[in-house]
Amino acid sequence: MKLSFPRPGNWFFILPWIAFIPWYGMLIAMLICWGVQGRPLYDFMDEYKSPVYISDIGATNLRPLFIACSAWQGLGYCLTIFSHWFQRYKFRMPPWYTKDERNLIVAACILGIIGELGLLFCTIFSTKNYPHVHTAMVCVFVVLLFFSVVCLFTQDLIMGKHYAIIHPRSDCNLTFDQLKWNQWEGYIWNKYVISAIFKAVWLVLAVVWAICFAACKNGSRSSDFEWLLAFWFGLLFIIISVDFYLGGRYKQSKFFRSIDIDSFTGYYKFEEMVNRKNSNEQVDDLHFIDSNSSNEPRDIEKDHSTSTPTTS
C-alpha cells in the first residue's frame, strides 16, 4: 500500500527537523569517537563509567563539536517556538482563541531562550575546568526547558477546550465562559487535545528519566539516563513538526471550514479575522472562510466519507 501525504500548507514544519538532526548527529558522533578511542577513562574523571557522561566527552578534543551543535540546537528550538507564535499571529496556523494562549507561547519562547543559553554556557564552561558552573548551567537548561514545554502543553490544552465547543461535530450548547475550569464539553478528541496528550506523555517520561539520572548512585546507570534524555529531547521536535504540518493545512480542513463564522465571535484573533473578512479586505489567508459565507448547510458526514484525509 502506497502512503501519500497531502501537500503542506507551508514549509515551517521542516524547521524543527533542521534544529534537532545536528543534535542527534553530535550525540552519535560522540559515542562513536569514544568507542573508537577504546572507551577511555579521562584524566579528570573520578570513576570509570560506561558510557561516560556527554559532558565528559564534550570536555575533550570534541569540545568545538559540542559547543557548535548545542548552539545550533538551541537556536533551532528558539526559532521553532517563535515560528509557532508567528504562524498563529499571521494566520498560517489556526490563530489563538484568547490572549491566554498567545501569552503562553510568548512565555514558552522566553523560557526557551534562557534555558538554551544555559545549555550553551554549559558547553562553554566544561565539566573539566568549571565543574560547579557547568552543573549550575545544566540545571538552568533542564528546569527552564521543562517550564517552556509546560507552556506549550497548556496552550494546546486550552485551544483544544475552545475548539471542542465550536467543532462541527460538537453537541455542546454552552459557551466557553459557562464551563467550569475542569469541565470539558463538545468534540473533545480534537487535534489540539491529542497534541497536548503527546506533549504531556513526553514531559512525564522526561521527568522520570531526569529523576533517574539524578538519583542513580551508579555512575554508569546515571549516564545511561543522561544519554536517554538527550535522545528523548529530539522527539519533542518531531511532535512540534507534526503540529506545524497539520496546523498549516487548517484552511483545507473539512471540519474547520465548516464552522459557522458566528461561532468565532468573541475569540480574539478569530474575531479579527472575521472582521477583516467582513470589511472585504483582500487577504489571501482569509479565503478559506469563503465557504462559510453560504447559508446552505454542509453535510459533514458526507464530506467525511468522500473527501481525502485532512486535519481534524
Side-chain angles (χ1 to χ4, degrees):
M1 181 179 178
K2 184 178 179 180
L3 295 177
S4 61
F5 295 94
R7 180 180 176 83
N10 59 61
W11 297 97
F12 280 98
F13 76 96
I14 296 178
L15 180 58
W17 290 86
I18 297 174
F20 94 90
I21 287 178
W23 173 258
Y24 269 20
M26 178 200 73
L27 295 175
I28 295 171
M30 281 181 155
L31 282 174
I32 292 175
C33 289
W34 179 70
V36 170
Q37 291 171 354
R39 301 184 176 186
L41 173 67
Y42 299 121
D43 57 6
F44 55 86
M45 292 171 56
D46 296 330
E47 61 175 328
Y48 182 76
K49 307 176 187 67
S50 181
V52 296
Y53 289 122
I54 299 172
S55 298
D56 291 337
I57 302 177
T60 65
N61 60 332
L62 293 178
R63 188 181 176 195
L65 175 70
F66 191 28
I67 294 175
C69 290
S70 296
W72 181 272
Q73 177 278 132
L75 177 63
Y77 178 82
C78 296
L79 289 177
T80 295
I81 304 304
F82 176 78
S83 70
H84 194 155
W85 173 88
F86 176 80
Q87 289 181 84
R88 296 207 186 280
Y89 179 76
K90 290 294 187 178
F91 305 107
R92 301 295 192 272
M93 289 171 66
W96 303 289
Y97 292 94
T98 68
K99 293 183 179 180
D100 293 334
E101 296 101 85
R102 180 205 64 184
N103 294 341
L104 284 166
I105 284 293
V106 173
C109 191
I110 295 173
L111 291 169
I113 291 173
I114 301 174
E116 292 291 356
L117 283 174
L119 177 62
L120 178 60
F121 289 130
C122 163
T123 62
I124 295 174
F125 295 96
S126 68
T127 187
K128 176 182 178 180
N129 300 321
Y130 308 95
H132 298 298
V133 177
H134 178 85
T135 302
M137 292 299 100
V138 170
C139 293
V140 169
F141 169 68
V142 171
V143 172
L144 294 188
L145 257 292
F146 167 80
F147 285 110
S148 179
V149 179
V150 167
C151 289
L152 295 178
F153 154 77
T154 307
Q155 182 238 203
D156 283 331
L157 203 61
I158 296 176
M159 290 192 72
K161 189 172 183 179
H162 284 289
Y163 188 48
I165 297 174
I166 65 174
H167 195 283
R169 288 188 166 182
S170 171
D171 56 358
C172 178
N173 295 319
L174 302 175
T175 64
F176 183 84
D177 293 335
Q178 293 174 324
L179 297 179
K180 298 179 181 178
W181 71 269
N182 61 342
Q183 183 181 4
W184 286 74
E185 297 291 342
Y187 193 73
I188 297 175
W189 296 108
N190 57 69
K191 58 187 177 184
Y192 301 110
V193 174
I194 293 173
S195 178
I197 291 174
F198 272 101
K199 291 185 180 71
V201 171
W202 182 92
L203 199 59
V204 168
L205 291 177
V207 170
V208 171
W209 308 148
I211 292 174
C212 292
F213 160 68
C216 280
K217 302 300 182 182
N218 184 302
S220 295
R221 298 291 75 76
S222 177
S223 63
D224 284 338
F225 284 110
E226 184 192 40
W227 283 96
L228 176 58
L229 265 172
F231 280 104
W232 185 251
F233 183 44
L235 296 182
L236 175 64
F237 290 90
I238 297 177
I239 295 173
I240 296 175
S241 177
V242 174
D243 287 346
F244 285 3
Y245 175 80
L246 297 178
R249 286 187 49 81
Y250 80 109
K251 288 177 283 187
Q252 288 78 41
S253 169
K254 57 183 170 291
F255 294 117
F256 198 91
R257 290 170 62 92
S258 302
I259 299 174
D260 186 357
I261 288 181
D262 292 336
S263 299
F264 292 129
T265 302
Y267 279 135
Y268 183 40
K269 293 291 287 184
F270 280 102
E271 192 167 61
E272 174 187 328
M273 178 179 63
V274 173
N275 290 339
R276 290 165 67 184
K277 180 62 182 177
N278 291 339
S279 65
N280 296 320
E281 281 193 42
Q282 298 299 315
V283 182
D284 291 340
D285 295 329
L286 306 184
H287 288 174
F288 79 100
I289 63 174
D290 285 338
S291 60
N292 287 340
S293 60
S294 173
N295 293 325
E296 297 180 5
R298 297 183 61 185
D299 189 343
I300 306 301
E301 295 296 334
K302 182 178 180 180
D303 287 347
H304 181 63
S305 62
T306 59
S307 59
T308 55
T310 57
T311 57
S312 61

